[in-house]
mmCIF file of all heavy atoms in Angstrom:
data_model
loop_
_atom_site.group_PDB
_atom_site.id
_atom_site.type_symbol
_atom_site.label_atom_id
_atom_site.label_comp_id
_atom_site.label_asym_id
_atom_site.label_seq_id
_atom_site.Cartn_x
_atom_site.Cartn_y
_atom_site.Cartn_z
ATOM 1 N N CYS A 153 -35.747 1.563 -76.615
ATOM 2 C CA CYS A 153 -35.430 0.165 -76.918
ATOM 3 C C CYS A 153 -34.650 -0.429 -75.735
ATOM 4 O O CYS A 153 -33.615 0.099 -75.347
ATOM 5 C CB CYS A 153 -34.567 0.081 -78.171
ATOM 6 S SG CYS A 153 -33.955 -1.599 -78.449
ATOM 7 N N CYS A 156 -30.881 -1.680 -77.215
ATOM 8 C CA CYS A 156 -29.802 -0.770 -77.613
ATOM 9 C C CYS A 156 -29.970 0.636 -77.015
ATOM 10 O O CYS A 156 -29.150 1.519 -77.274
ATOM 11 C CB CYS A 156 -29.715 -0.673 -79.132
ATOM 12 S SG CYS A 156 -31.108 0.155 -79.896
ATOM 13 N N CYS A 173 -38.028 -1.566 -82.599
ATOM 14 C CA CYS A 173 -36.747 -0.875 -82.827
ATOM 15 C C CYS A 173 -36.247 -1.116 -84.266
ATOM 16 O O CYS A 173 -36.225 -2.245 -84.731
ATOM 17 C CB CYS A 173 -35.702 -1.356 -81.825
ATOM 18 S SG CYS A 173 -34.082 -0.578 -82.071
ATOM 19 N N ASP A 176 -32.622 -3.365 -83.962
ATOM 20 C CA ASP A 176 -32.547 -4.766 -83.533
ATOM 21 C C ASP A 176 -33.915 -5.443 -83.406
ATOM 22 O O ASP A 176 -34.006 -6.562 -82.897
ATOM 23 C CB ASP A 176 -31.779 -4.872 -82.222
ATOM 24 C CG ASP A 176 -32.258 -3.844 -81.219
ATOM 25 O OD1 ASP A 176 -33.480 -3.751 -81.015
ATOM 26 O OD2 ASP A 176 -31.418 -3.100 -80.670
HETATM 27 ZN ZN1 ZN B 26 -32.797 -1.293 -80.357
#
Side-chain angles (χ1 to χ4, degrees):
C153 172
C156 68
C173 179
D176 48 49

